[in-house]
Amino acid sequence: MPEKVIVIGSGPAGLTAALYAARANLKPLVIEGTAPYGQLMLTTDVENYPGFPDGILGPELMESFRKQAERFGSRFLTADTTRVDFSRTPFVVEVGDERHEADSVIVSTGATARMLDIPGERELLGRGVSTCATCDGFFFRGRELVVVGGGDSAVEEAIFLTKFATKVTIIHRRDSLRASKIMQDRAHANEKITFLWDTVVEEVGGGDGAVTGLKVRNVKTDEVSDFRTDGLFIAIGHDPNTQLFKGQLDLDDNGYIIVGHPKTETSVSGVFACGDVVDHIYRQAITAAGTGCAAAIDAEKYLEALPH
């Protein structure tokens, strides 16, 4: 017998979908991946998730999500999905040599922040290096910060960070921003924002688990220098984890799964998607969890309408 529902992915969206599906007695199988829990595994303190007035560690929050989903009957497979076939029903989800079939599938594979791939970056992630100003800006009150990037998201992050920081420097490899004109005008008008043009970051320096400065290089002169800062925010984009679904589901130009908002159904009836794999705007744990809830309810209604 095929599963009633398979959830692919185990971040806030996937685990919330599993919780709701389990409470609907659908006994979901969650293929959580070999690196489960999504981007919150890279976040030390989460202070903006409702219900935790004193904050909570990202991994601890995700562990609570998992335990709650498991309590109501979700089953977990700690492995990576290697292939899917949504061209027929029941749908096929393969994990290596294992083949699983399902009447419905919820995709919640998330997105991955692009990194600079430079020394010190990974080691200090969550300790002064961040990919989310909305998540971590509060921790940098009264500090001097750097944002790397030149698009709208980088400028938005920089403007947001001026609420907390004394100074924000945008470092960009070109001599002008790629952001829309209105965003550029806002950045140039903000007295807390300065710019370091034609420059790339080559190394992140730190001590006692905190960022203390950067090694930067001017791309025109090749001159390398030190730049003091208390934090580095990387805003060069995200890549949705949708490689598995190319040719199976409709994707937008940036690779995100297209769903029929406000519902979560994809281009294939019976396949639903939620979380950062569809959302390139908000990218918050709370919004991901909300769409995970919606996907489970949509899947439940789809299954109820199937002829038995």
Side-chain angles (χ1 to χ4, degrees):
M1 287 285 292
E3 304 284 348
K4 290 188 179 72
V5 58
I6 287 178
V7 179
I8 305 175
S10 61
L15 292 176
T16 303
L19 168 62
Y20 272 78
R23 281 179 54 83
N25 203 31
L26 298 177
K27 299 181 176 62
L29 173 65
V30 183
I31 303 176
E32 62 180 348
T34 52
Y37 301 161
Q39 294 184 74
L40 278 190
M41 289 302 285
L42 306 176
T43 304
T44 47
D45 294 300
V46 178
E47 294 203 330
N48 56 4
Y49 200 89
F52 298 94
D54 299 320
I56 186 172
L57 297 176
E60 191 179 333
L61 178 63
M62 288 294 87
E63 188 64 31
S64 296
F65 271 50
R66 190 186 194 276
K67 284 178 180 174
Q68 194 170 0
E70 199 168 28
R71 175 188 162 204
F72 290 104
S74 297
R75 293 160 296 132
F76 290 85
L77 182 57
T78 308
D80 293 321
T81 302
T82 50
R83 181 180 169 273
V84 297
D85 183 0
F86 297 154
S87 65
R88 37 144 289 186
T89 54
F91 304 116
V92 175
V93 179
E94 293 183 2
V95 178
D97 295 332
E98 287 183 30
R99 174 189 173 98
H100 300 270
E101 294 186 339
D103 293 325
S104 67
V105 173
I106 296 174
V107 176
S108 57
T109 48
T112 303
R114 292 178 194 151
M115 304 295 283
L116 299 171
D117 292 325
I118 56 174
E121 176 188 49
R122 298 277 175 185
E123 294 85 345
L124 290 164
L125 196 60
R127 295 175 174 82
V129 175
S130 174
T131 58
C132 180
T134 314
C135 312
D136 300 328
F138 181 82
F139 300 115
F140 293 89
R141 193 176 293 277
R143 306 288 182 83
E144 294 186 4
L145 302 174
V146 163
V147 174
V148 175
D152 277 356
S153 60
V155 175
E156 284 173 13
E157 300 256 292
I159 292 170
F160 179 83
L161 288 169
T162 60
K163 297 179 181 185
F164 311 102
T166 56
K167 176 184 174 185
V168 178
T169 302
I170 295 177
I171 296 181
H172 189 39
R173 62 168 56 245
R174 298 182 180 86
D175 58 7
S176 62
L177 297 171
R178 292 179 291 106
S180 58
K181 186 175 187 307
I182 188 168
M183 294 304 297
Q184 292 193 42
D185 290 345
R186 287 176 186 169
H188 286 293
N190 193 312
E191 60 186 20
K192 284 188 176 182
I193 295 178
T194 60
F195 300 88
L196 191 57
W197 304 112
D198 301 314
T199 299
V200 294
V201 179
E202 299 218 313
E203 187 174 339
V204 186
D208 295 327
V211 170
T212 54
L214 311 171
K215 202 170 286 295
V216 300
R217 177 174 61 84
N218 184 292
V219 296
K220 290 187 173 175
T221 65
D222 250 5
E223 180 186 354
V224 176
S225 58
D226 293 323
F227 190 93
R228 204 204 75 74
T229 188
D230 299 307
L232 171 65
F233 285 78
I234 301 165
I236 56 175
H238 288 71
D239 293 312
N241 300 322
T242 52
Q243 299 86 344
L244 269 177
F245 311 110
K246 288 177 180 174
Q248 299 279 340
L249 302 173
D250 287 352
L251 310 177
D252 69 13
D253 292 341
N254 294 312
Y256 289 86
I257 296 174
I258 297 171
V259 294
H261 292 296
K263 292 189 178 293
T264 62
E265 192 162 56
T266 67
S267 55
V268 175
S269 181
V271 178
F272 307 87
C274 53
D276 286 9
V277 80
V278 301
D279 171 25
H280 54 84
I281 298 173
Y282 302 107
R283 291 196 292 260
Q284 299 298 303
I286 187 68
T287 51
T291 60
C293 161
I297 293 172
D298 289 345
E300 181 187 2
K301 289 181 176 176
Y302 166 81
L303 292 168
E304 283 176 354
L306 288 180
H308 292 291

